[in-house]
Amino acid sequence: MPRPLGELEDAVMTRVWKWNRPVTVREVLEDLQRERSIAYTTVMTVLDNLHHKGWVRREAEGRAYRYEAVSTRAAYAAALMNDAWSQSDNAAAALVAFFGMMSDEQRQALRDAVRIVEGTTEGAIGGSGTPEVAGEVPDTVQAPDTARAPETRDENPGSARDGHGR
């Protein structure tokens, strides 16, 4: 189970997940700077740490890297929920308490997810067995992505000074 992301790691990963494409340190930096004062080297370090933790893969582009998410935010949330649930000595009681905290909308999303996992579409998102639902999993209810982080590579396309060719 992955450790929960720290506040800055989450802010960086939020952008990587949202943009859903390979990103540069500069792109993440410029977006983060709309909310806070942050240095280029800080964002570079966070992305490097996320790479070493297996959250992102990176590919050299000139003297820099482009970073891409290894998994989805949904898979991350699912792993956190699974870990929290497995910590309970009474799984049923933990689920009852969790369901009690959910909004009506969240409970409906849970019902839809159970139907998708069980292979039924009756009453699922979009109505009773509609073609839009049959055989498809809406983006909001994706099954967890089980992709693993690629092998990390030790060689650096640039100088060895900072690990990013700068």
Side-chain angles (χ1 to χ4, degrees), residues 5-26:
L5 296 170
E7 186 263 333
L8 187 52
E9 290 174 327
D10 186 68
V12 169
M13 283 305 300
T14 294
R15 282 145 180 90
V16 174
W17 282 319
K18 182 174 119 182
W19 296 336
N20 196 29
R21 61 173 172 76
V23 301
T24 64
V25 172
R26 174 98 27 226

Side-chain angles (χ1 to χ4, degrees), residues 10-88:
D10 186 68
V12 169
M13 283 305 300
T14 294
R15 282 145 180 90
V16 174
W17 282 319
K18 182 174 119 182
W19 296 336
N20 196 29
R21 61 173 172 76
V23 301
T24 64
V25 172
R26 174 98 27 226
E27 289 172 310
V28 175
L29 170 73
E30 289 172 357
D31 200 60
L32 282 170
Q33 285 179 331
R34 295 178 187 172
E35 300 171 2
R36 65 177 88 194
S37 176
I38 190 166
Y40 181 95
T41 53
T42 302
V43 177
M44 182 176 65
T45 299
V46 170
L47 279 163
D48 186 57
N49 290 342
L50 289 166
H51 173 256
H52 289 292
K53 291 178 180 182
W55 287 106
V56 294
R57 66 178 61 93
R58 68 185 181 195
E59 193 167 312
E61 184 175 279
R63 292 180 30 156
Y65 288 108
R66 282 202 174 266
Y67 295 86
E68 184 174 18
V70 169
S71 191
T72 64
R73 182 178 276 289
Y76 168 65
L80 290 177
M81 288 187 288
N82 186 56
D83 187 56
W85 185 38
S86 69
Q87 301 297 317
S88 174

